[in-house]
Amino acid sequence: YFAEFRIRGSSIADLDKKSLVVKLFEYSKKGKKKDKDVAVFGIRVENSWILDAMGYDKMRMRNRVCFDLWNEMSSIPYDTSKDGNPNENNPEKRNGTKGVFVEVFINGSYNGLYCMSDKIDRKLLNLTKYDDNDTEDDLEDDAVHGLLYQGHECEGDAGHLLSYDNSAWELEYPDDYSANPNTWEPLKALIGFCSGNTSDEDFQVGYQSYFYPSNLIDYMIMTMAMNVIDNLYKNTFLSVPDIAMGHCYMLTPWDMDGSLGRTNK
């Protein structure tokens, strides 16, 4: 297949062995480039893939092992099919990545062991697509449906988390509207609810309006059982299947190489 590659990750980009994002494409009869969806290793049909160099994990296995365990214990807590079938009948909808270990050759030279996996995205989590008839300049309140945020490391006080133009959270979907404050209001409401301004009593009464209890419990068990130290909001995805239908967030882990006894030292 034709493919484009770019370096993935800011910190790991300084290492000799780079992690890569792979984008598959093809040319139309008119010579225009377009995405090429392929079932790589039978994982799922997709055009964007990750080649994880596992540069900081000398065992070269922590992230993959933790995700495999997570996939066994966690499921998407809402319906993922149009015809009402249960989650298990739709294997391409899940709350974690799948991947296989591969050996990579670049221009004929051996480049070592990688893990090739799919990505956390709208299609995998079955998030409702936004109304693409609207543009960012003419965004109506009901144009956005599914939302996907990714947490990043952030320096500063907690108030910094409440701003939509910050580095603490990234709007992964719909990224076309990342500069529009309307897409950040739901996240601000969640952060406000989880802040110290909410009493323990009010949290116990209202948390099920913001979280799926089964998913929240699974996530907390996962972080403790596998000693995941870097995924409490950093390296965590928050997603809403359709903001018009409710504000419950699902938690999805990301980059679990800081686990199973590994520290930043």
Side-chain angles (χ1 to χ4, degrees):
Y1 304 105
F2 292 107
E4 295 176 330
F5 299 82
R6 66 174 175 83
I7 295 174
R8 171 184 172 268
S10 55
S11 59
I12 202 171
D14 296 329
L15 302 181
D16 292 336
K17 185 180 177 185
K18 315 292 187 186
S19 290
L20 302 169
V21 173
V22 184
K23 187 78 170 180
L24 304 177
F25 67 92
E26 62 182 350
Y27 290 101
S28 67
K29 293 181 179 179
K30 296 182 178 180
K32 292 185 177 180
K33 188 168 61 175
K34 61 179 182 179
D35 293 344
K36 175 68 174 178
D37 291 333
V38 177
V40 177
F41 297 114
I43 294 174
R44 67 171 166 131
V45 178
E46 185 52 72
N47 59 71
S48 187
W49 300 85
I50 291 173
L51 278 172
D52 183 7
M54 303 170 287
Y56 286 124
D57 178 16
K58 295 181 179 180
M59 291 179 65
R60 305 290 191 265
M61 62 178 283
R62 284 182 169 89
N63 186 54
R64 185 69 265 140
V65 168
C66 288
F67 258 119
D68 289 346
L69 292 171
W70 171 250
N71 289 335
E72 288 291 325
M73 66 181 288
S74 175
S75 62
I76 295 179
Y78 47 83
D79 181 36
T80 61
S81 60
K82 295 181 180 179
D83 56 7
N85 289 331
N87 285 344
E88 51 266 32
N89 291 339
N90 200 340
E92 288 202 349
K93 310 300 181 186
R94 49 186 150 77
N95 193 23
T97 70
K98 285 187 177 181
V100 296
F101 291 104
V102 298
E103 293 180 292
V104 173
F105 292 80
I106 299 178
N107 296 329
S109 298
Y110 182 65
N111 213 58
L113 183 70
Y114 286 72
C115 183
M116 190 166 190
S117 69
D118 60 351
K119 301 170 67 176
I120 303 296
D121 58 18
R122 181 196 68 83
K123 290 186 286 185
L124 182 68
L125 303 181
N126 203 54
L127 308 181
T128 303
K129 192 175 181 180
Y130 72 92
D131 184 356
D132 55 10
N133 291 325
D134 292 306
T135 65
E136 185 175 342
D137 295 331
D138 186 31
L139 178 61
E140 299 179 0
D141 292 339
D142 58 355
V144 174
H145 296 277
L147 289 168
L148 179 62
Y149 305 99
Q150 183 180 6
H152 297 283
E153 191 169 16
C154 172
E155 296 181 1
D157 57 28
H160 189 59
L161 299 175
L162 300 177
S163 173
Y164 73 88
D165 57 349
N166 67 78
S167 59
W169 294 96
E170 179 181 0
L171 183 66
E172 286 283 331
Y173 185 84
D175 59 353
D176 293 350
Y177 297 145
S178 60
N180 194 299
N182 289 344
T183 58
W184 296 94
E185 290 301 324
L187 181 63
K188 290 171 65 176
L190 173 68
I191 293 173
F193 175 75
C194 294
S195 71
N197 295 326
T198 302
S199 67
D200 291 346
E201 293 77 12
D202 289 342
F203 186 90
Q204 291 175 10
V205 172
Y207 83 96
Q208 294 189 40
S209 297
Y210 289 92
F211 296 100
Y212 297 95
S214 61
N215 169 251
L216 181 61
I217 292 169
D218 285 345
Y219 200 89
M220 293 299 103
I221 291 175
M222 178 270 293
T223 58
M224 292 184 288
M226 292 184 264
N227 193 22
V228 180
I229 62 172
D230 209 21
N231 296 74
L232 293 179
Y233 90 77
K234 179 190 174 187
N235 292 330
T236 300
F237 285 98
L238 290 170
S239 61
V240 180
D242 190 340
I243 201 68
M245 305 298 292
H247 287 240
C248 268
Y249 287 83
M250 181 174 69
L251 293 95
T252 306
W254 186 246
D255 278 348
M256 291 191 283
D257 56 354
S259 60
L260 303 177
R262 178 184 171 265
T263 68
N264 293 327
K265 297 181 180 180

